[in-house]
Amino acid sequence: MGPGPNLIYPGKGGTGLPALDPTDLWRRPERSAVGPKPEHSRSGIATAALRIADQEGLAAVSIRRVAASVGAGAASLYRYVKSHDELVELMMDTVSGEYHLEPGTGGPLEQLLDLAHQGRGIMQRHPWLAPLLLTRPSMGPNSLRYMEAALTTLESVDLPGPAKLQTVAMLSAITSAFVQNEMATARPPGPKGAATNRGQYLAEALKAGDYPHLTAALTGHSDEGHPDEHFTSIVTNYLTGAGIPSHPPD
């Protein structure tokens, strides 16, 4: 899964990453060359964890809960993942494997737009995922393959490497923010009357005339149409502004 902006400035404070780096998971072989054959696999553990998270949310995922789901004791699961953070890292990288990364035939913008639409679909299937991408990007093999594929689409674009990396990271951030907004809009309303009270308050505040630009933005005509079209427009506008061409350079 594509990284968020934190990947652009590695080592900076405020990354939101756990104190013990969960990417240590990828430094260890899945099965030892010695000892008995493992009873479980990372893929099986990830599948069980994803099932729980997709149905009940990430907060429901724990080492003990996942262990019970695969028929293991909590202590034995630590042979495969050393912490809850490693378990989440495994989950994030597993869903990154849902991308179809075959080389595209369009220009750089069209290919990145396709990846963004795929990413949106993945985040919609796994509602717990979008917020994590802004604070703790995965560095697993599937996630790195996604990064390589996304940067490959920019091979012919005349931008320095860091700018290309920033473009890909911001594409993920925009997609994450869009999906989070979609999910918030789709949630059942809060306490009865809360939405009405907020609307009344905003209408009263705007009547004073102190916020002309906000008033114009909220009352202006919108022709965005279907959410798919809205998303396409947002991503296209960003990529165009970032200097990504619609067609490969001659």
Side-chain angles (χ1 to χ4, degrees):
M1 178 62 62
N6 284 327
L7 183 60
I8 304 172
Y9 307 109
K12 297 283 185 176
T15 62
L17 292 172
L20 297 177
D21 193 343
T23 57
D24 286 346
L25 171 70
W26 310 118
R27 298 173 181 268
R28 301 192 305 269
E30 180 167 3
R31 55 180 298 182
S32 174
V34 297
K37 180 180 178 181
E39 298 179 7
H40 306 285
S41 66
R42 287 177 180 171
S43 63
I45 292 169
T47 298
L50 290 173
R51 187 181 303 112
I52 296 169
D54 292 347
Q55 295 176 354
E56 304 177 39
L58 188 62
V61 177
S62 67
I63 295 288
R64 184 178 299 277
R65 179 77 183 277
V66 174
S69 181
V70 299
S76 66
L77 208 67
Y78 283 101
R79 295 173 53 195
Y80 306 90
V81 288
K82 302 298 185 183
S83 66
H84 181 270
D85 290 322
E86 284 196 0
L87 178 59
V88 174
E89 168 74 13
L90 178 61
M91 294 165 63
M92 293 179 70
D93 190 66
T94 298
V95 298
S96 290
E98 296 179 17
Y99 277 99
H100 299 287
L101 299 177
E102 294 81 4
T105 57
L109 191 150
E110 283 77 12
Q111 293 185 58
L112 287 180
L113 181 59
D114 174 69
L115 288 177
H117 275 289
Q118 289 192 56
R120 177 178 169 228
I122 293 170
M123 294 180 211
Q124 289 172 334
R125 291 193 294 274
H126 307 287
W128 51 271
L129 176 63
L132 291 181
L133 293 175
L134 295 177
T135 58
R136 48 178 300 173
S138 171
M139 294 294 172
N142 287 324
S143 302
L144 295 181
R145 278 191 284 270
Y146 165 85
M147 282 297 302
E148 182 68 16
L151 291 171
T152 298
T153 68
L154 298 174
E155 185 175 11
S156 61
V157 179
D158 186 19
L159 287 174
K164 293 179 179 180
L165 184 62
Q166 182 181 48
T167 298
V168 175
M170 287 303 300
L171 185 66
S172 179
I174 290 169
T175 304
S176 171
F178 188 91
V179 172
Q180 290 185 72
N181 183 67
E182 282 188 299
M183 291 190 295
T185 303
R187 290 192 191 107
K192 187 175 181 180
T196 300
N197 291 340
R198 286 174 177 267
Q200 290 175 346
Y201 162 74
L202 185 58
E204 292 168 1
L206 295 181
K207 277 183 181 179
D210 295 329
Y211 313 103
H213 296 293
L214 178 59
T215 301
L218 290 173
T219 59
H221 174 69
S222 174
D223 57 356
E224 290 167 347
H226 192 276
D228 291 349
E229 298 172 359
H230 186 191
F231 181 68
T232 296
S233 175
I234 290 174
V235 174
T236 300
N237 289 342
Y238 166 69
L239 292 175
T240 300
I244 309 303
S246 298
H247 305 286
D250 297 332

